[in-house]
Amino acid sequence: MKKLFIILIILAAIVSASSAAFIQYMISPVGGDKEKVYFEIKQGEGASAIANKLELHGLIRNSKIFLAVAKYLKYDRKLLSGYYEISRDMSMIDIMKHINSGKQAMAKFTIAEGKNIYEIANYLEAEGFTTKKEFLEVCHDKEILKKYNIPSDSVEGYIFPSTYYIVKGNPTKVLVTYMIDSLFKQFPDLEDRAKKIGRTVHEVLTMASIVEKEMGPSDDPKLISSVYYNRLNIDKRLEADPTTIYAMTLVKGDYIEKPNLKYDDLRMVHPYNTYKNTGLPPGPICSAGGRAIEAALNPADTDYIFFVADGTGKHAFSVTYEEHLENINRYILKK
């Protein structure tokens, strides 16, 4: 009898040790590396649904054990909605604590100067922030246009080029308004400064977008700006190639990667074609950076009417057409 009792004690100890080892294994990290997984908890999702998704994503071994441990540690009602960055070397309890902290994943993206909404849409889709279709729909959202008093059918030109850190998984509408707000934070007195030069915010951003697309890396954008304002003042067509390319973009409904302007394109009938129409186009053709916006608000005081690329990242400027032809012969035709 005594021998049997000892055997039972030994068996109980073995079972207990096995159970402890099993539980330890189940709550341990699923992997030894630091591979990151972005995990979303939607508003209203309970602990059971969260546990199932964690198992589906391969972040835990068993959803039922996760749920049981979460209830025991009282984390089951403290799993906050949001978008989290979880690595595979985190234990089950580490994951609970991380989700309980509410520290959502911040993702980085950069909008470069001179990009239009179609290019931005492609970029953000490739980076996993939204889909191209949804982004373009939001860019044409009437509520957003009304909120920012944009007299156009899209937010083109109002998205400020910058590097952003944002919670990945945010709605596209939040993303777009965040980037527009950045413009007005960078230029809080934009409307007042535009009025001082007799322009609206929309007109300034339209001019800035043309300057952005035309200026070379070594150019003074204020000189470019002065040329276009001088042309407006004498009712002379702007004849800016980028506006025609943007007209072609709108006709296509998508970004044109390598535009090849032909003579027939310059004659196309379109509101954005400044080879056919006098004055500014109906709106911006891209997102202008700070230097271009400053140039549109404060152009240089010149009499220049023409400019041509000189091959050094700058432009050669001229007042008369005869001087312009000389510059074309010198820098383009190499005569």
Side-chain angles (χ1 to χ4, degrees), residues 199 202-204 206-207 210 229 232 238 271 274 278-283:
R199 298 287 173 181
H202 195 67
E203 288 172 332
V204 165
T206 300
M207 176 61 78
I210 298 173
Y229 277 123
L232 288 176
L238 299 185
T274 57
T278 56
L280 287 167

Side-chain angles (χ1 to χ4, degrees), residues 165-216:
Y165 293 86
I166 194 167
V167 175
K168 203 167 185 179
N170 261 327
T172 304
K173 202 165 186 177
V174 172
L175 187 65
V176 171
T177 55
Y178 182 56
M179 293 188 287
I180 296 175
D181 286 339
S182 183
L183 167 68
F184 293 104
K185 286 179 181 177
Q186 189 73 19
F187 292 90
D189 55 351
L190 183 57
E191 185 173 4
D192 291 338
R193 292 183 67 187
K195 285 180 180 179
K196 286 182 180 179
I197 62 170
R199 298 287 173 181
T200 65
V201 168
H202 195 67
E203 288 172 332
V204 165
L205 293 178
T206 300
M207 176 61 78
S209 70
I210 298 173
V211 172
E212 183 67 62
K213 296 297 285 186
E214 288 282 21
M215 68 180 186

Side-chain angles (χ1 to χ4, degrees), residues 26 30 51-52 54-55 58-63 66 92 95:
M26 294 303 290
V30 295
N52 289 332
L54 284 168
E55 183 178 349
L59 292 168
I60 60 173
R61 290 188 173 87
N62 187 283
S63 60
F66 178 93
M92 187 181 283
I95 291 173

Side-chain angles (χ1 to χ4, degrees), residues 66-213:
F66 178 93
L67 191 58
V69 173
K71 286 183 177 179
Y72 178 75
L73 296 177
K74 302 189 185 309
Y75 278 122
D76 56 321
R77 297 188 180 183
K78 299 177 182 178
L79 302 175
L80 306 177
S81 61
Y83 206 83
Y84 299 91
E85 183 181 83
I86 300 173
S87 62
R88 297 193 185 279
D89 65 347
M90 295 172 67
S91 71
M92 187 181 283
I93 294 175
D94 288 336
I95 291 173
M96 291 179 196
K97 290 180 178 179
H98 184 61
I99 297 175
N100 172 246
S101 73
K103 294 179 181 177
Q104 297 188 51
M106 299 298 287
K108 173 185 174 183
F109 66 91
T110 300
I111 304 299
E113 291 88 348
K115 301 299 183 182
N116 62 45
I117 58 174
Y118 300 95
E119 294 173 273
I120 297 171
N122 286 330
Y123 167 71
L124 290 176
E125 181 176 75
E127 293 295 311
F129 285 95
T130 182
T131 65
K132 178 179 177 180
K133 180 177 182 294
E134 185 174 355
F135 180 80
L136 291 175
E137 286 176 353
V138 172
C139 283
H140 291 83
D141 187 280
K142 291 183 179 179
E143 287 185 9
I144 292 179
L145 298 176
K146 183 179 180 180
K147 176 181 178 180
Y148 294 100
N149 296 315
I150 300 174
S152 183
D153 66 349
S154 82
V155 301
E156 186 71 87
Y158 287 79
I159 290 174
F160 190 67
S162 184
T163 295
Y164 294 95
Y165 293 86
I166 194 167
V167 175
K168 203 167 185 179
N170 261 327
T172 304
K173 202 165 186 177
V174 172
L175 187 65
V176 171
T177 55
Y178 182 56
M179 293 188 287
I180 296 175
D181 286 339
S182 183
L183 167 68
F184 293 104
K185 286 179 181 177
Q186 189 73 19
F187 292 90
D189 55 351
L190 183 57
E191 185 173 4
D192 291 338
R193 292 183 67 187
K195 285 180 180 179
K196 286 182 180 179
I197 62 170
R199 298 287 173 181
T200 65
V201 168
H202 195 67
E203 288 172 332
V204 165
L205 293 178
T206 300
M207 176 61 78
S209 70
I210 298 173
V211 172
E212 183 67 62
K213 296 297 285 186

Side-chain angles (χ1 to χ4, degrees), residues 308 321-331 335:
V308 63
Y321 186 64
E322 289 72 25
E323 291 172 335
H324 182 54
L325 289 178
E326 289 178 10
N327 285 334
I328 291 175
N329 288 330
R330 181 183 306 167
Y331 299 113
K335 292 183 179 180

